[in-house]
Structure formats: C-alpha cells, structure tokens
Amino acid sequence: MSVRTRFAPSPTGLLHVGGARTALFNWIYARKNAGTFVLRIEDTDHTRNTEQAKEVILDGLHWLGLDWDEGPQKGGNHGPYYQSERGAIYEDYLSRLEKAGHLYEDNGAIRFRSPREKVVVEDEICGRIEFDLTNPGTHPDLTLRRPDGSWIFHFVSVVDDIEMKITHVIRGEDHLSNTPKHVELYKALGAVPPRFAHMPLILNRDGSKMSKRDEGAALGTYPEAGYAPEAVRNYLSLLGWSPKENREIISTEEVIALFNLDQVNRRNAAFDLDKCFWINGQYLLQMDLARYAELAMPFLEKAGISWPTWESLERVLTIVKPKVKLLKDLPEWVVCFFTEELTYDDAAVAKSLTGETAAERLRKLSDSYASLTSWDAASLEVSLKETAVKLGIKTGELVHPARVAVSGRGIGPGLYEMIEILGKERVLTRFGKGIAKAAGA
RNA sequence: CACCCUAUCGUCCAGUGGCCUAGGACACUCCCCUUUCACGGGAGUAACACGGGUUCGAAUCCCGUUAGGGUGGCCA
C-alpha cells in the first residue's frame, strides 16, 4: 500500500513553526516513500476561521516549498479538503456508529461509548505504549458532536483520515494521549488504524511553551526577515532528527534520502533562532547568484531601489552577498550604488570624515585617482597605497574616509571593488562632497 | 489529582555496555587573517538531573526520586 501522509492544520491566523515542522516531516516522509502528501484544513465551525487565516497556512507552506499532492488549490480524489465542506460524510459515519450502538446523547451532545479496554498504541517514534482506558473517571467518553450540530475534532479527524486513506499520522506529541481514544473510534468504524508517529514538541529556549507571540513562532516572519526557505527547511529538519555524522548544512534531497521515522527523537526541542540565523547565513553565502537575486529582488523593490541593468545589479550583489545574513538588510548595503542622494551614517562621519586632516588626505587620494588611467580594483589599491606612503600614514587612514565618502557608511564590502563598480565620475564627485563635509565640520 | 512522554554542554544533535579523561554545530570568550563589517582558520569555557540496582565494566539496561512537557474540553 502506498504511503499517504497529511498535514491537517486549523486556520488560526498563523502557521506556527511547530506546525511547519510537522508539515515538513510529513512531506519528507511522503517524498521518501514516493507517497502522497495531503493537505487538509480543519476549519470546523470556528469564529477565528477566516479566509485570510486559511491563506496564511497555504502561503506558509508554499513559501517553505512543501507542495501537497492533494488538498486546497490542488484537488484530489478524496476531497473536499476543507472540513467545513465535509458535513455529509460526518453524518454518514455518525449514523454508522449510531446503528452499531456506540453512541448516546448527553445534554444534547452526541458521545461515543468507550469499550473500556486497554489499548496499545505502537508508535513509530515513541514505541509501544499501553493505555488503560477502563476508568471512565480518568478517561471520559469522547464527545463527537455538539448540541448545535457542529463536529468535534477527534471524530472528524479520524473520519477524514479513514476517508482520505491516510497510512501514517505524523503529528505533535500533544496528540499522543488522545490517540487510544482515536483507536477505539477506528475500531468501532471497522477501520484499521493508521501507523502513528508522535513527534516531540518545539518549545522556547527556556523550556516554556511557544506561544504565538514568541519570536520566531510565526512562519510568516521568516520570509519577511529575508530567510531563504531552503535554510529554514534545513534548520527545521534538524529539530528532533539528525543526519548523523555531525552534519549541519544538508540539502532537503539528502534529508529525504536519510530520513526515517524511528530515528526521530522523543525529546522536546527548544527553538534556537540564533542557529537558524547562522544556517541562513551559510545558505546565502553559498547560494548561486541567480537564486540570490531571485530572493533579493522583492526586498530591493520594496525599498524603492532601482538599477540600470541586470549586469550592474549582478556586480553589486556579488560583492555585497558575503556580507548580508538577512535579506531584509540588503537594501542598506546596496543603496549607495544606485542613488546619488547618499545618506551618511553620523557615527561613521564623526569617526572618519571629520576635520581638515581627513579632508586633506581625501583630497590627495582624489587627485591620484583622478589621474588614474585604468579603473579596476587592483589599480585602485595600488594607487591608494602609494598615496598613503607619500602621506606617511597607514592604509587604513585613507581607506576609512574614502569608504564613508563613497558609501556613507563605515562598514561595507571591499573598498576597491566598491569604487571600481561605482565608476570614476561618481567616485570623484563623492570624494568632493566628502572633502567639503570633512572640512566644513 | 490521574495518565502518557522525556531527561547528554546555555541551545540543537552524536553516542544504542567497553573505542567516552563524552564528539560536532550555534551562542559566548580569546587569538590569527584583514581597509571596515563579515567570512575563514585556531584555541577556550561548558553536559551524561539525583539515588539505587544489573554487570568484570554503564551516558548507554532496570527501578525509584526529582524536574520539564503533554493529555485529561461540548478547543484544534
């Protein structure tokens, strides 16, 4: 039987990283086994359940690159994939339980009468667990339907997993304790329960539960901050699972190849945004320029930065790329290449571009650059160093004023590369402004 | 309160009875490289929760304690 996994989020208005990881592991497992990954939206009658909230989920999964084979926007043979549209199916399953005598009414709600037995769950991750459900006091009967006719999660989730022929239910450990009750439902419906795999939860660094407001909890903040989806996938797959051999940077393809449910940890993981940040930096560093530009484009456009030719943008991105670790910071690194209205960083100006000495040095550098016949990084470096020798000062004392004059900032890519790209005319103009600024200050 | 899961550096993982005076990565500190900031390289701080067993031998197996997490909803 071919593997079918599913991710079944409820639209709460955000896609939680924990949910994103659950989705990722389901997706990985399906891909590994050439199976089917189903997306089902658990939107049973909720007030918070808006169109926008559903989009957040879909957008998040799209961004992470977790394409589903069946579900919203995609269709499939086991739909509909919104629980709000599956009422007739639930009615049908409910009547089957009714006929078999498993149900009773309680204050208008419909409840399932537990057989009161011991139930064994063979979990792919947690192993064999025996639950004793014989005591109604500690394990009350499941409610399946409210008096107003709306459905309860436990019931519809089981029905859908049967109907959608889910073979592996991979979900958070918070569902483990209710699993034996689900198993009772499967049996009462004459269905074979799927394989279960309960994954450890993701907590905060301090071990507390991650709430919506905690930093990094909402997946939507990652694209905004300028993380690469492949980097976030990498980080998430390392939470509760390991490729062994002390590997950290690993492609999704390799994760799929190496992944196995029985190697998933049983211990809750703490979320560490620092590490995610580092991994992102590694990806950005090694990324080819085409992909980098693709990811960078929205941030540049949003900042109102425009570039004359793709070649010019490419040259700039090439030298700036190793410096930027979050794409949202990219505009401030590249803006000086594409504007004539330079904004100066006050601290950098105060440090390197203030006073007659700085002005005089820049003047000398400007003169030697003005007489330069070849405008390339190597020549620019030679020229600057010669000027420094003539002035009897260290290279850095020329470099810093020049950098601020040319870019407005105290930090940036290699100075000579910057100056080469900027071009002689603009550089000399900026030197002039810098000299005036330093002398006047 | 009951039941379930878990317990290795601050964090994520490696470790499935001897190879462990416990390894890698992030973070942190220091050094080197260097025109800045990064990157890179090197060094360092830092952990088997506790107590009993089992065994020639335990981070690894068993029991207990403690701690954390989860479930016990007519939330999902």
Side-chain angles (χ1 to χ4, degrees):
Chain A
M1 185 166 54
S2 107
V3 166
R4 291 175 62 84
T5 64
R6 48 71 157 183
F7 178 52
S10 87
T12 56
L14 90 165
L15 180 52
H16 193 273
V17 278
R21 189 192 50 160
T22 301
L24 174 66
F25 280 38
N26 273 282
W27 178 85
I28 288 171
Y29 192 73
R31 292 291 167 268
K32 185 188 177 68
N33 294 286
T36 305
F37 175 54
V38 179
L39 176 62
R40 175 174 82 230
I41 305 296
E42 308 220 326
D43 59 347
T44 53
D45 86 329
H46 253 269
T47 49
R48 59 190 176 188
N49 182 358
T50 62
E51 208 45 52
Q52 198 189 356
K54 290 172 192 171
E55 270 169 35
V56 168
I57 306 271
L58 304 186
D59 290 350
L61 294 176
H62 277 309
W63 181 78
L64 246 197
L66 307 185
D67 52 309
W68 52 97
D69 305 299
E70 292 178 25
Q73 302 174 338
K74 189 93 181 189
N77 297 326
H78 306 270
Y81 294 92
Y82 288 97
Q83 287 188 333
S84 56
E85 299 168 12
R86 298 175 62 81
I89 296 165
Y90 305 142
E91 295 281 1
D92 177 48
Y93 273 78
L94 192 75
S95 69
R96 286 207 239 157
L97 289 175
E98 167 86 75
K99 282 182 189 125
H102 291 295
L103 304 183
Y104 65 95
E105 196 175 324
D106 176 22
N107 283 327
I110 309 293
R111 306 188 71 164
F112 173 77
R113 185 177 286 107
S114 166
R116 298 292 158 213
E117 292 168 343
K118 287 185 178 173
V119 176
V120 172
V121 174
E122 288 282 356
D123 194 275
E124 301 282 312
I125 294 171
C126 302
R128 183 183 194 276
I129 307 166
E130 188 177 302
F131 294 87
D132 184 354
L133 304 190
T134 55
N135 183 356
T138 54
H139 297 90
D141 286 339
L142 237 31
T143 300
L144 308 190
R145 191 177 204 180
R146 302 186 189 85
D148 69 0
S150 57
W151 305 99
I152 303 296
F153 156 78
H154 300 290
F155 176 61
V156 295
S157 172
V158 165
V159 168
D160 287 344
D161 286 339
I162 293 171
E163 276 283 300
M164 296 180 180
K165 300 194 161 43
I166 301 302
T167 58
H168 297 256
V169 170
I170 304 168
R171 59 188 2 173
E173 197 215 74
D174 50 336
H175 291 293
L176 182 57
S177 293
N178 285 319
T179 301
K181 293 184 177 183
H182 296 174
V183 170
E184 289 183 329
L185 235 30
Y186 278 100
K187 287 182 176 159
L189 287 165
V192 178
R195 304 296 305 176
F196 290 102
H198 288 93
M199 318 194 329
L201 268 17
I202 298 179
L203 310 174
N204 284 316
R205 286 286 298 261
D206 64 3
S208 65
K209 196 175 176 177
M210 235 182 151
S211 83
K212 305 177 193 312
R213 288 169 302 284
D214 288 313
E215 192 186 16
L219 195 78
T221 60
Y222 293 81
E224 276 170 26
Y227 282 88
E230 50 268 49
V232 176
R233 275 202 306 270
N234 190 150
Y235 174 69
L236 253 23
S237 60
L238 259 25
L239 241 34
W241 177 81
S242 167
K244 306 292 172 69
E245 298 173 331
N246 294 328
R247 302 183 60 186
E248 311 287 339
I249 303 299
I250 179 169
S251 71
T252 304
E253 291 66 37
E254 280 192 272
V255 172
I256 291 171
L258 295 170
F259 188 82
N260 244 329
L261 282 177
D262 58 17
Q263 282 167 349
V264 174
N265 268 152
R266 303 169 68 169
R267 183 193 179 194
N268 289 163
F271 187 78
D272 184 3
L273 198 56
D274 281 341
K275 184 147 184 181
C276 188
F277 176 79
W278 174 78
I279 288 178
N280 189 245
Q282 294 293 310
Y283 271 80
L284 258 26
L285 209 56
Q286 266 131 34
M287 195 173 282
D288 65 71
L289 203 65
R291 173 64 172 155
Y292 190 83
E294 182 188 354
L295 291 173
M297 221 63 94
F299 291 90
L300 298 178
E301 280 164 3
K302 194 179 170 191
I305 292 173
S306 56
W307 47 94
T309 62
W310 197 80
E311 286 68 30
S312 67
L313 177 64
E314 192 178 26
R315 295 181 75 193
V316 170
L317 289 183
T318 302
I319 64 166
V320 158
K321 186 169 163 274
K323 305 288 175 178
V324 181
K325 298 175 104 176
L326 238 33
L327 256 10
K328 76 166 164 53
D329 297 329
L330 187 64
E332 60 184 270
W333 288 77
V334 307
V335 68
C336 69
F337 294 97
F338 302 114
T339 182
E340 299 313 317
E341 319 278 304
L342 218 52
T343 45
Y344 296 88
D345 176 70
D346 291 339
V349 170
K351 195 176 175 190
S352 314
L353 200 59
T354 301
E356 183 50 39
T357 314
E360 183 51 29
R361 286 171 180 171
L362 247 193
R363 231 173 256 131
K364 286 286 193 303
L365 181 64
S366 186
D367 289 345
S368 46
Y369 273 11
S371 63
L372 233 41
T373 50
S374 53
W375 194 264
D376 57 87
S379 311
L380 291 160
E381 178 169 3
V382 170
S383 175
L384 182 141
K385 285 184 172 164
E386 281 173 0
T387 308
V389 170
K390 275 183 212 157
L391 292 170
I393 58 175
K394 288 192 286 186
T395 313
E397 292 180 272
L398 222 37
V399 164
H400 300 305
R403 174 187 301 285
V404 180
V406 129
S407 72
R409 308 214 306 161
I411 58 170
L415 178 69
Y416 312 115
E417 287 75 21
M418 274 173 83
I419 290 179
E420 180 190 323
I421 290 175
L422 245 10
K424 191 169 187 174
E425 194 185 324
R426 286 205 286 177
V427 168
L428 293 182
T429 303
R430 289 184 189 188
F431 275 175
K433 281 184 190 170
I435 291 163
K437 205 173 178 60

